[in-house]
Amino acid sequence: MPPDPIEHTMQPYVTIVAPSVGPEVSAESAARRLRDARRPGVASLVGERLRTLDEHRRQLRRLIGRIKDDGTDGRLKLRELTALHGQAVEALQISNLLFRELDGDRLQSPQLVPSAVIDELLAESARLLDRIERQLWLLDALEDYAALLRHCFDELQAGGAVASGRFQQLARRIGIDAERSGDRGFLRLEPGLSLEGILDRKNEPGPSAACVTGIESARLVAWMTRSSPGLTPRREILVIAALLQDAGLFTVCRRNRTSVDALFEARPSLFREHPAIGAALAGGLAEHQLELPVLIAQHHERLDGTGFPRRLSSRRLSRESRILAVASRYSELAGGLDAPSSAAAKSHRRSHFGSGHTAESQLYREAEQGELDLPMTRHLLSSLGFELREEREFSPFGFRVDSAH
């Protein structure tokens, strides 16, 4: 019996579904909810809730003061802290609204709000408080990572001996922070905040971009290996390799006093040699003397042989090299850094894939096309909370239909 012609035209494609995020609650919407929910004679547990709210308000005032201090002491510019400051103010306003409501409840107001509504808004206030605290903690952690990594890069460039224990210490801290964070907030800064922006104000943009890519890739590797028994034993070497992946780019940009984009435009062949330069620098570390340089040298290689500097193909790339390549590429796409591959990919997406295409779908497309390891790409996206739904759609031309359209 000949095959069903319709079956030939049903083509599989993957829909990438982002993690769900609950609706934001503002002070305005909280006030409206309180007003609409007010009923005569509804009792609530006033004392306990007032104590909780009072503690929330004290913590929020402290956080608002800290955010202002960070903006005025030069650590961050106030305009970059607008989103975080706005969240703290909204949370404080919600807490104040609830406090006034409960204070009226305590005074036996004839019109009260059901305790269930109070508890929901109280939970929202607590969620905002936790979110702000996590962001401030993350900023501190990222600055600490960057300061140590930059110091090590400076020593490597100067030809000095860098104790591998420093990299091990940083890699272990990143791994511990990933474990302790418990959620994807470990990877996500609020809009307007970026590690690259912080470093660029203190240092040269080119070397700073190299530090940022290393740190972001290291955090991704730590996150995606934290719950994988087969990968956990390799976490330390992978995180160290991610941190050092652009040591060569740091050195080249520093010596040529240029940015990553400018280096690529003016001297593309030198840019493509930065993995080999970084591998040579890493060869001076006592620990992982053989494996670490190989991982660094291969982080821009691709399974189909289109990468650089040596155009190696899948048969010559280890599992660890494939993991690092996926994490590094996603860091470029998601971070919008100066890396030419990222800039080129974004331009290509605008021209051919439409404005709705995302870093995640671009990463998956490159893996499907054979450039990156597909199982590892799936694992990374799943660990970040993205759901991959394989479906089938009628296509008379027999090509994949991208979910972004």
Side-chain angles (χ1 to χ4, degrees):
M1 179 182 294
D4 186 343
I6 296 296
E7 192 63 31
H8 278 292
T9 59
M10 295 292 286
Q11 299 296 324
Y13 71 100
V14 171
T15 301
I16 301 177
V17 183
S20 60
V21 179
E24 292 291 329
V25 176
S26 65
E28 181 181 356
S29 65
R32 185 168 57 250
R33 180 116 187 246
L34 287 171
R35 184 184 64 243
D36 294 344
R38 201 164 278 124
R39 299 288 185 273
V42 181
S44 59
L45 300 173
V46 177
E48 182 180 345
R49 293 186 177 95
L50 279 172
R51 284 192 294 273
T52 301
L53 278 169
D54 202 33
E55 178 60 26
H56 280 190
R57 295 198 303 172
R58 280 199 299 270
Q59 292 184 55
L60 285 165
R61 290 190 187 103
R62 175 179 57 80
L63 291 176
I64 290 171
R66 180 182 165 186
I67 292 170
K68 288 181 178 178
D69 289 343
D70 286 343
T72 55
D73 68 6
R75 175 172 175 264
L76 293 167
K77 290 185 178 178
L78 279 174
R79 63 179 175 81
E80 294 174 309
L81 289 167
T82 298
L84 206 56
H85 183 266
Q87 287 177 19
V89 170
E90 286 284 350
L92 182 58
Q93 289 175 344
I94 292 172
S95 295
N96 287 337
L97 283 168
L98 290 170
F99 192 89
R100 286 195 295 270
E101 185 66 36
L102 289 174
D103 199 42
D105 189 349
R106 184 176 57 184
L107 296 174
Q108 302 300 309
S109 170
Q111 294 286 317
L112 304 177
V113 174
S115 56
V117 175
I118 294 285
D119 287 341
E120 286 177 15
L121 291 173
L122 188 58
E124 178 63 21
S125 175
R127 187 188 69 79
L128 287 172
L129 173 61
D130 180 66
R131 181 171 163 182
I132 295 160
E133 287 181 323
R134 282 173 177 265
Q135 285 291 296
L136 291 172
W137 168 83
L138 183 55
L139 283 172
D140 286 340
L142 289 174
E143 282 201 288
D144 287 346
Y145 302 163
L148 180 55
L149 182 60
R150 191 179 181 90
H151 179 69
C152 292
F153 276 3
D154 285 338
E155 289 190 352
L156 282 173
Q157 182 194 355
V162 180
S164 56
R166 291 188 187 177
F167 290 106
Q168 289 175 323
Q169 180 184 12
L170 180 54
R172 286 169 185 167
R173 179 179 169 185
I174 291 173
I176 290 170
D177 286 347
E179 294 281 358
R180 286 179 176 171
S181 69
D183 64 24
R184 292 180 294 275
F186 170 70
L187 298 170
R188 188 170 50 243
L189 281 170
E190 293 294 326
L193 293 174
S194 72
L195 178 58
E196 186 182 28
I198 296 169
L199 294 180
D200 276 358
R201 283 190 299 281
K202 300 178 179 179
N203 308 285
E204 312 97 311
S208 294
C211 287
V212 171
T213 307
I215 290 169
E216 299 296 34
S217 297
R219 293 168 65 224
L220 276 172
V221 168
W223 180 257
M224 66 190 290
T225 58
R226 82 191 209 291
S227 58
S228 302
L231 297 176
T232 302
R234 307 295 293 154
R235 173 191 285 175
E236 186 173 297
I237 180 66
L238 280 166
V239 173
I240 292 173
L243 289 168
L244 280 168
Q245 65 179 357
D246 280 337
L249 189 60
F250 178 96
T251 299
V252 171
C253 288
R254 169 72 69 80
R255 289 177 177 171
N256 289 274
R257 299 177 182 273
T258 187
S259 69
V260 175
D261 278 350
L263 176 69
F264 180 77
E265 292 294 332
R267 303 180 67 181
S269 59
L270 179 58
F271 171 85
R272 293 190 181 94
E273 285 301 314
H274 83 259
I277 296 170
L281 290 170
L285 298 175
E287 296 287 334
H288 312 298
Q289 205 164 19
L290 297 177
E291 189 175 14
L292 188 58
V294 172
L295 292 175
I296 294 168
Q298 294 180 356
H299 76 275
H300 279 300
E301 299 289 358
R302 295 293 180 259
L303 301 185
D304 60 358
T306 60
F308 61 88
R310 299 181 60 194
R311 300 179 69 86
L312 301 178
S313 59
S314 58
R315 289 184 301 172
R316 303 183 64 183
L317 298 175
S318 67
R319 179 186 65 164
E320 287 75 12
S321 291
R322 298 174 186 217
I323 293 170
L324 185 57
V326 169
S328 177
R329 182 63 177 139
Y330 183 73
S331 295
E332 291 176 358
L333 291 169
L337 303 179
D338 288 336
S341 54
S342 175
K346 288 181 177 178
S347 173
H348 186 51
R349 289 204 306 279
R350 284 195 296 270
S351 301
H352 299 280
F353 303 139
S355 59
H357 215 71
T358 64
E360 292 75 28
S361 52
Q362 175 64 21
L363 184 79
Y364 197 87
R365 177 182 290 271
E366 291 177 12
E368 277 196 317
Q369 291 172 343
E371 297 177 41
L372 300 168
D373 187 282
L374 184 57
M376 203 54 62
T377 299
R378 283 177 169 271
H379 176 67
L380 171 63
L381 293 176
S382 295
S383 74
L384 295 174
F386 291 91
E387 182 184 353
L388 306 179
R389 297 177 182 168
E390 188 165 301
E391 304 174 33
R392 302 181 75 83
E393 180 165 300
F394 177 74
S395 175
F397 305 106
F399 53 72
R400 294 185 185 278
V401 181
D402 194 280
S403 60
H405 290 297

